[in-house]
Amino acid sequence: DGTAALPPGEGGGNSPPLRGGEFSVGGAKIVAINVPLDRAKWIELRRPALRANLRWTRGRLKPGVRLMAVVKANAYGHGAAEVSQLAEKAGAACLGVLDIEEGVELRRSGIRSPILVLSPVLPGRARDAVRHGLETTADSMELLRALDRAAAPGRRQPVHVDVDSGLRRWGVAPAQAPRFLAALKRFPRLELRGLSTHIDYMPGKNAVEAELKLRQFQRLAAWTRARWPRVLCHAANSSILMDFPQWQLDMVRIGNLLYGINPTKRPLPLRNPWRFYARIISLGEVGKGRPIGYASEFVAPRRMMVAALPVGYSDGLTLEPSERWIGLGAGTRYWGMLRGRPVPFIGRCAISHVLVDVSRVPRPRIGEAVLLPVRRTAASPRIPRVYVE
């Protein structure tokens, strides 16, 4: 309907209602924020932050190294089609998705870049992968046979062979990889496009082991390039790129860094594009000693002003730790923000609502928006994404 409202700033009060188009607020240009005034919850996504993270990440790459933008899980909740378009314009060589459905959705949204399905597809879906022009990850002869049968005459289906370096989720064992790769020559309609692995590395925990596995993969990559000179070898995700920049190989697969999530133990100049908001739908005072919520598990330690928000675990709010959010002491583990002030969660998180303590916010009002620490990949796709320029 063209009506829009700016969410409250983290450091100040609410902005007035605005009507569609372009606005100037404090010197900043705001473009078409399509959030009706009666919208109870939404996710705000900032395009400039995504672009900045893409530029910064590309700046870390050696000359000739390609960037794969990982947009699986709806681009970590940021909207796969929107992020893919930004990544295309920023020079990403290809996109990474988890399954065929995600790849098909991108094709239907108009994405023309190469798309790699990062996990093995079911052999029965080989024709779907070929029909939609998706590159595929393979680790079994059964899948190779299915892809070869499905490939169109006169065209070769690109295949990436994954090597299991310890995660044990999928991939060919390192010792068996040369034989598996050699078997590809039996399938005239398949083309070896890539050789990949995913190192089971956790920053600050197993760096020596990760280095050894990367060296092992490099030896296999050298053996493969000698036989398939055009193959793309890739092992680096965001944490490997940051902590082992010498192992960029031919391509890096980047997710966390693009979304402003720091995978390392040191500070990085990333920008957070993500904001999850829900409006207060009810307010009420609770006296000291009164129980609150299901099973009366929470008892008010003092007189409190309590606000109800229409968001719960069905929206992805699990009250589990989320990046950049910290606790406020015993009994108040996680919290939201209202006008730049912390509002702790109280009681249990229900399927579609949660309660927060707004006692320390002067004169809270129904309709004000609270910033919430919803884990991005868990946020319900039903919640509207609002892209801010």
Side-chain angles (χ1 to χ4, degrees), residues 286-320:
V286 176
K288 179 180 179 179
R290 296 294 300 273
I292 297 174
Y294 286 115
S296 300
E297 289 180 335
F298 182 88
V299 177
R302 51 180 166 74
R303 179 173 292 277
M304 303 173 70
M305 177 65 71
V306 175
L309 306 176
V311 57
Y313 58 77
S314 65
D315 302 297
L317 182 67
T318 60
L319 302 195
E320 294 178 353

Side-chain angles (χ1 to χ4, degrees), residues 17 79 171 237 250 270 297 329 333:
N237 59 3
D250 303 310
L270 301 172
E297 289 180 335
R333 293 184 300 161

Side-chain angles (χ1 to χ4, degrees), residues 11-41:
N14 288 335
S15 299
L18 300 172
R19 195 159 291 278
E22 296 187 358
F23 326 100
S24 179
V25 179
K29 178 182 174 185
I30 307 298
V31 180
I33 305 176
N34 187 26
V35 181
L37 296 180
D38 60 354
R39 175 68 69 182
K41 52 195 171 186

Side-chain angles (χ1 to χ4, degrees), residues 19-356:
R19 195 159 291 278
E22 296 187 358
F23 326 100
S24 179
V25 179
K29 178 182 174 185
I30 307 298
V31 180
I33 305 176
N34 187 26
V35 181
L37 296 180
D38 60 354
R39 175 68 69 182
K41 52 195 171 186
W42 69 94
I43 297 168
E44 175 190 292
L45 296 162
R46 304 179 183 186
R47 291 193 187 100
L50 289 165
R51 292 193 193 99
N53 294 338
L54 280 160
R55 285 194 302 270
W56 186 85
T57 302
R58 287 197 69 200
R60 311 278 73 74
L61 304 187
K62 299 176 183 179
V65 176
R66 305 184 187 194
L67 171 65
M68 175 194 294
V70 178
V71 294
K72 65 182 180 181
N74 195 28
Y76 291 34
H78 295 69
E82 179 78 19
V83 173
S84 295
Q85 291 167 6
L86 289 173
E88 281 185 326
K89 294 176 182 178
C94 63
L95 306 166
V97 299
L98 188 62
D99 54 36
I100 286 179
E101 283 72 23
E102 291 182 342
V104 171
E105 181 181 347
L106 289 182
R107 289 290 185 237
R108 289 174 176 167
S109 69
I111 298 298
R112 293 292 175 261
S113 294
I115 298 174
L116 171 61
V117 181
L118 293 166
S119 63
V121 304
L122 291 172
R125 302 296 305 278
R127 292 189 182 280
D128 293 329
V130 171
R131 182 167 63 252
H132 293 284
L134 306 177
E135 299 184 14
T136 47
T137 296
D139 64 355
S140 72
M141 295 299 295
E142 182 183 5
L143 179 53
L144 292 182
R145 284 191 289 268
L147 290 168
D148 188 64
R149 289 193 299 267
R155 302 185 64 180
R156 303 179 72 190
Q157 171 65 17
V159 172
H160 293 241
V161 172
D162 192 69
V163 178
D164 179 18
S165 293
L167 283 178
R168 298 293 186 268
R169 53 185 190 181
W170 54 74
V172 181
Q176 299 172 359
R179 180 179 297 179
F180 186 83
L181 289 163
L184 269 167
K185 294 182 178 179
R186 287 186 258 158
F187 301 101
R189 294 183 179 180
L190 301 185
E191 174 192 355
L192 180 62
R193 179 68 56 83
L195 181 72
S196 65
T197 194
H198 194 110
I199 305 297
D200 53 335
Y201 169 63
M202 292 293 290
K205 292 187 178 181
N206 60 335
V208 174
E209 179 187 0
E211 178 78 26
L212 290 173
K213 291 180 176 180
L214 286 164
R215 290 183 183 277
Q216 180 186 44
F217 182 74
Q218 168 64 22
R219 289 193 292 271
L220 178 60
W223 181 91
T224 305
R225 285 197 194 100
R227 291 155 178 82
W228 291 271
R230 298 177 62 184
V231 69
L232 294 174
C233 299
H234 47 108
N237 59 3
S238 292
S239 58
I240 295 293
L241 174 63
M242 290 294 95
D243 292 353
F244 303 91
Q246 69 274 24
W247 293 111
Q248 297 181 22
L249 302 177
D250 303 310
M251 183 166 65
V252 296
R253 307 183 302 264
I254 303 302
N256 282 337
L257 291 173
L258 303 188
Y259 308 114
I261 302 170
N262 186 352
T264 72
K265 297 295 184 181
R266 64 182 186 277
L268 298 176
L270 301 172
R271 297 175 61 181
N272 181 17
W274 171 275
R275 297 288 188 276
F276 187 112
Y277 290 100
R279 297 189 191 277
I280 296 173
I281 59 172
S282 181
L283 281 166
E285 286 193 356
V286 176
K288 179 180 179 179
R290 296 294 300 273
I292 297 174
Y294 286 115
S296 300
E297 289 180 335
F298 182 88
V299 177
R302 51 180 166 74
R303 179 173 292 277
M304 303 173 70
M305 177 65 71
V306 175
L309 306 176
V311 57
Y313 58 77
S314 65
D315 302 297
L317 182 67
T318 60
L319 302 195
E320 294 178 353
S322 182
E323 67 273 350
R324 298 190 182 84
W325 298 81
I326 60 176
L328 295 177
T332 58
R333 293 184 300 161
Y334 312 116
W335 43 276
M337 296 288 288
L338 176 59
R339 298 189 217 151
R341 300 169 186 256
V343 288
F345 295 114
I346 53 179
R348 287 192 180 190
C349 177
I351 189 172
S352 58
H353 81 275
V354 71
L355 301 176
V356 293

